[in-house]
Amino acid sequence: MVRQCFIIFGCLALGELIVWLTGTSIPGSIIGMLLLTAFLQMKVVKLEWIKGMTDFLISNLGFFFVPPGVALMLYLDVIQAELLPITVATVGSTIVVLIVTGWTHQIFKKK
């Protein structure tokens, strides 16, 4: 269990270090996740080494959304005041993501 935590949080820390050193605007957690994915693909890290921890985190994923959900209730007045722009941005970005994902899939499927 210690090794599993060390690998996962080590990739997170490495991602944060990269952000700190380069000043990039990409979140360190995303870079850490990409590093972990690359390490798994390159067989530097074996899936068995982190499977227990990842299964635990995924099975309890809903629990991690409770604090942000509760925090949203503190800003209901702001959300109500800006409901139309929030809705338009959400629907518009969802449509754009679906279109770009579809086009990307078609491009890679042809190759």
Side-chain angles (χ1 to χ4, degrees):
M1 187 70 112
V2 173
R3 177 173 62 174
Q4 295 174 14
C5 286
F6 180 77
I7 293 170
I8 292 171
F9 290 117
C11 287
L12 174 64
L14 194 56
E16 293 292 341
L17 179 67
I18 290 171
V19 168
W20 183 72
L21 290 174
T22 62
T24 184
S25 61
I26 300 172
S29 58
I30 301 296
I31 294 175
M33 184 174 54
L34 291 172
L35 287 171
L36 180 59
T37 302
F39 292 154
L40 286 166
Q41 289 291 323
M42 294 184 301
K43 308 281 192 234
V44 174
V45 173
K46 291 185 172 33
L47 181 59
E48 302 84 45
W49 294 355
I50 59 170
K51 184 153 178 50
M53 181 60 70
T54 56
D55 287 345
F56 170 77
L57 291 171
I58 290 171
S59 66
N60 293 296
L61 192 61
F63 175 74
F64 298 116
F65 285 99
V66 171
V70 171
L72 274 177
M73 293 194 298
L74 296 173
Y75 297 99
L76 280 179
D77 55 334
V78 175
I79 293 171
Q80 286 176 340
E82 301 295 331
L83 188 59
L84 183 62
I86 291 171
T87 304
V88 169
T90 302
V91 171
S93 63
T94 300
I95 292 170
V96 169
V97 166
L98 287 171
I99 291 170
V100 170
T101 302
W103 285 342
T104 304
H105 175 70
Q106 288 177 351
I107 290 170
F108 281 105
K109 192 174 179 182
K110 288 180 185 176
K111 293 182 180 185

